[in-house]
Amino acid sequence: MAQNLLWIPGPTHVRPEILAECARPMIGHRSKAMTALTERLDPGLKLAFGLAPSSTAHVAVHTTSATGMMESALKGVGPKVLCLVNGSFSKRWYEIAGLVGKDAHKLEVPMGQSFDPAAVDKLLTDKGPFDALTLVSNETSSGVRTPLASIAKVLAKHPNVLFLVDLVSYIAGAPVDFDGNRLDFGFAGVQKAFALPPGISVVCASQRYLDTAKQQKLRGFYLDPIKIIEGHEQRATPATPCISLYYALAKQLEDITNGVTLPKRDQGKTGAAAWQARFDKHVRMQQQTEAWASSNDLRMLPAPEFQSPTISCVQSGGLDVTKLIDALKAKGHQIGDGYGDLKGKTFRIGHMGDHTEESLAELLAFADDAVQALR
Ligand SMILES: Cc1ncc(COP(=O)(O)O)c(C=O)c1O
């Protein structure tokens, strides 16, 4: 078979150069080579989280999928947590909060929607004080991006509430601005806009998060946020890390920073400018997909101001989603069905990571034909 491009909302397509990094010979995880490998990660991670030069936040990597980091984040905060729920992954935060013994509250809106900052403020005031608030920046299940600044603005009125943010399908696809958006704990797996195989997570924690976490008892071992951050900083991970993926992450962070993955129009850009160009590419791909949907009389699920730059969730408008997916698969492009209750009612295109606008144009041209044939 010719190509088989993964446009599902993660894992996404991984470049062969990155896969080759995973095939490097093993090294000891307590060796000098491992220290050198870990040191290659920090500059790129700081750019990915958008740390200000004066930032006191701490970056780290841990060998776990993103769900492990959700649990880890909660282990470091006080007992009362408010979870903003607008889809399957934000609901997972709420479930985990209960399972690790927190007094978990939720503000839930239907899938496809984001949050009214005034309603968040009211709940924090009426039912507070809360120790932490959880948010999924980009609900992969519905293609909804909640602007981080809108929640940060509310939290400015509730300065003691720690802001825990799932950046899974957002980071490396859009700017995080960790300090400017007042995040206390941000994390992501690497199989989305970082475009790596799954298996490790990246994390950033504020100093005040760490100070608070140190006061919490029963943080466990493997997901203890203090062990994770300090282990990374001391180049002594608490357990054996997935070294192959560390190689892949190091190369990808360096390639993004050196502009290697950018389209021709952006060639020559490096550093923060290269990361910004990557984010801009994702916005253009979202616009490209939306224009395609509208030219086929299809509507996006989220309102325009909440559409995700990395995942377009399109309402099926009565089209047979399974047949659409099969028709595109036959052409070498795999897109995703709707998630959970949205299965069959929506389909999702994950235009993230190292996918190109040219390749998206090819997918959308095939999708034109498939939609015509299905109608
Ligand atoms: C927004 C979001 N959060 C959390 C997760 C869970 O990630 P993992 O399956 O890597 O644990 C996903 C997975 O798709 C996700 O999209």
Side-chain angles (χ1 to χ4, degrees):
M1 157 147 194
Q3 67 174 8
N4 178 22
L5 278 181
L6 259 192
W7 297 89
I8 60 171
T12 193
H13 173 69
V14 181
R15 292 183 294 135
E17 299 88 322
I18 296 295
L19 291 175
E21 289 295 310
C22 296
R24 282 183 182 274
M26 231 359 75
I27 54 173
H29 66 296
R30 305 286 180 224
S31 65
K32 282 196 180 130
M34 185 67 201
T35 301
L37 175 56
T38 309
E39 270 162 11
R40 284 173 60 199
L41 304 174
D42 290 2
L45 288 177
K46 287 179 183 169
L47 286 164
F49 283 100
L51 295 192
S54 59
S55 180
T56 53
H58 303 252
V59 292
V61 176
H62 191 51
T63 300
T64 173
S65 86
T67 305
M69 293 313 299
M70 270 187 183
E71 197 162 330
S72 175
L74 288 162
K75 284 172 185 281
V77 299
K80 195 165 170 184
V81 178
L82 175 62
C83 301
L84 303 186
V85 176
N86 64 338
S88 305
F89 295 104
S90 39
K91 191 177 247 167
R92 189 176 292 184
W93 264 124
Y94 175 67
E95 284 165 5
I96 296 176
L99 289 169
V100 299
K102 301 294 174 193
D103 176 15
H105 297 247
K106 65 177 166 174
L107 172 61
E108 187 161 9
V109 299
M111 277 177 98
Q113 292 186 19
S114 183
F115 306 94
D116 171 11
V120 178
D121 186 21
K122 183 164 168 24
L123 222 155
L124 285 169
T125 308
D126 293 352
K127 296 239 171 102
F130 285 93
D131 296 295
L133 176 133
T134 73
L135 172 76
V136 172
S137 56
N138 197 66
E139 243 307 342
T140 312
S141 58
S142 60
V144 170
R145 176 191 61 101
T146 294
L148 294 172
S150 67
I151 306 299
K153 209 166 159 191
V154 173
L155 288 178
K157 296 193 216 162
H158 305 271
N160 295 326
V161 179
L162 294 179
F163 191 17
L164 315 180
V165 184
D166 169 324
L167 298 163
V168 173
S169 54
Y170 184 90
I171 192 169
V176 175
D177 191 6
F178 188 93
D179 302 292
N181 285 319
R182 189 211 174 279
L183 270 64
D184 288 293
F185 193 102
F187 69 90
V190 293
Q191 71 271 28
K192 312 276 186 186
F194 277 117
L196 301 177
I200 58 173
S201 291
V202 298
V203 54
C204 187
S206 68
Q207 184 58 47
R208 75 173 187 150
Y209 173 89
L210 291 186
D211 294 341
T212 309
K214 281 184 181 156
Q215 290 161 23
Q216 311 305 315
K217 297 196 177 92
L218 298 179
R219 298 192 305 268
F221 185 95
Y222 192 71
L223 296 175
D224 174 0
I226 300 295
K227 278 196 168 34
I228 291 171
I229 305 270
E230 289 185 349
H232 179 88
E233 290 185 335
Q234 292 160 13
R235 313 303 182 211
T237 52
T240 317
C242 181
I243 296 166
S244 308
L245 288 174
Y246 273 54
Y247 276 120
L249 178 60
K251 174 154 175 68
Q252 182 66 322
L253 290 169
E254 287 164 2
D255 280 359
I256 296 173
T257 305
N258 293 329
V260 169
T261 60
L262 289 176
K264 271 205 186 80
R265 61 190 277 167
D266 291 316
Q267 253 149 40
K269 290 186 178 165
T270 58
W275 282 81
Q276 184 58 51
R278 184 177 179 86
F279 306 150
D280 294 343
K281 178 194 78 172
H282 284 92
V283 171
R284 292 195 301 274
M285 290 172 105
Q286 185 273 322
Q287 290 164 347
Q288 206 179 338
T289 310
E290 191 185 3
W292 169 83
S294 116
S295 72
N296 279 282
D297 263 336
L298 293 168
R299 286 215 191 92
M300 312 297 279
L301 181 69
E305 65 272 32
F306 300 121
Q307 278 166 29
S308 157
T310 51
I311 295 159
S312 287
C313 185
V314 187
Q315 301 185 43
S316 65
L319 282 178
D320 186 324
V321 172
T322 308
K323 286 189 177 152
L324 175 65
I325 291 171
D326 287 348
L328 289 171
K329 205 168 176 185
K331 298 290 182 188
H333 294 272
Q334 268 194 61
I335 63 165
D337 204 330
Y339 192 98
D341 291 346
L342 295 177
K343 194 171 167 59
K345 296 181 191 151
T346 61
F347 56 91
R348 291 171 301 158
I349 302 178
H351 35 72
M352 60 172 94
D354 296 332
H355 277 305
T356 64
E357 290 155 90
E358 291 74 27
S359 185
L360 180 60
E362 183 187 287
L363 157 66
L364 296 176
F366 285 133
D368 272 335
D369 298 342
V371 168
Q372 296 313 316
L374 286 172
R375 275 190 175 139

